[in-house]
Amino acid sequence: MDAQTLVDTRGDLWLALAPLWLEREPRETDYARMIEEIERHGLSERELEWVFRLELAPVLTRQQMSVAGEWREFDDYRLMKRLVAHNLRLTGWRRRTWALFSGLTTMMARHRFNELMERLMIARGRDVPS
């Protein structure tokens, strides 16, 4: 897949999910946009989990751990360049390595992702496990 196709197919979803890694808690409007994009892409919970773990977490965790000023000056274009570069290289051994370490890279945003999953299940009319 080339870079433009990757941006066309995943770009909006990635940008919608990026607030999971911000310093502040996502707003209601952030969660609503996330759910809207997830539904637009027709992702299952399992597929969404892997997007979170493999496509986003390796890039956004580095962003989150870097100087806070990078988030204050949030640049969609720069973030998209990093996400595309990462995902173009995400094959074979790199995919397996990120899958192996995904527990570490998702740790700081996991509680927000869990909140998103609960909201998604409610939006889909499914029972939320207790």
Side-chain angles (χ1 to χ4, degrees):
M1 188 179 297
D2 67 287
Q4 187 58 50
T5 305
L6 199 51
V7 169
D8 292 343
T9 58
R10 288 285 210 229
D12 292 335
L13 178 66
W14 290 341
L15 291 177
L17 294 175
L20 293 173
W21 279 270
L22 288 176
E23 293 172 349
R24 63 165 173 77
E25 289 296 317
R27 298 181 186 106
E28 289 297 320
T29 55
D30 294 329
Y31 281 119
R33 180 173 175 231
M34 290 177 208
I35 291 172
E36 181 182 312
E37 282 300 322
I38 292 165
E39 294 294 15
R40 192 171 70 78
H41 283 81
L43 296 173
S44 69
E45 285 92 358
R46 183 175 168 84
E47 291 169 325
L48 182 59
E49 175 75 27
W50 286 106
V51 167
F52 175 68
R53 291 171 71 170
L54 295 179
E55 295 178 18
L56 293 170
V59 175
L60 291 168
T61 298
R62 280 183 248 150
Q63 179 105 0
Q64 187 179 36
M65 299 297 281
S66 68
V67 179
E70 281 194 50
W71 279 111
R72 285 190 203 115
E73 300 158 11
F74 188 73
D75 183 359
D76 289 351
Y77 178 74
R78 211 166 69 179
L79 178 60
M80 190 61 66
K81 276 179 52 176
R82 290 178 183 169
L83 287 166
V84 167
H86 165 75
N87 282 279
L88 288 175
R89 292 187 310 265
L90 194 58
T91 59
W93 68 270
R94 283 192 173 129
R95 179 175 285 279
R96 289 188 299 275
T97 302
W98 282 119
L100 180 64
F101 290 105
S102 64
L104 293 172
T105 59
T106 60
M107 186 173 19
M108 295 185 66
R110 176 56 67 180
H111 67 287
R112 294 173 180 166
F113 183 76
N114 290 343
E115 174 69 22
L116 172 63
M117 292 299 285
E118 287 182 14
R119 290 169 183 251
L120 181 62
M121 292 174 79
I122 291 169
R124 290 180 173 175
R126 298 190 37 220
D127 289 334
V128 177
S130 48

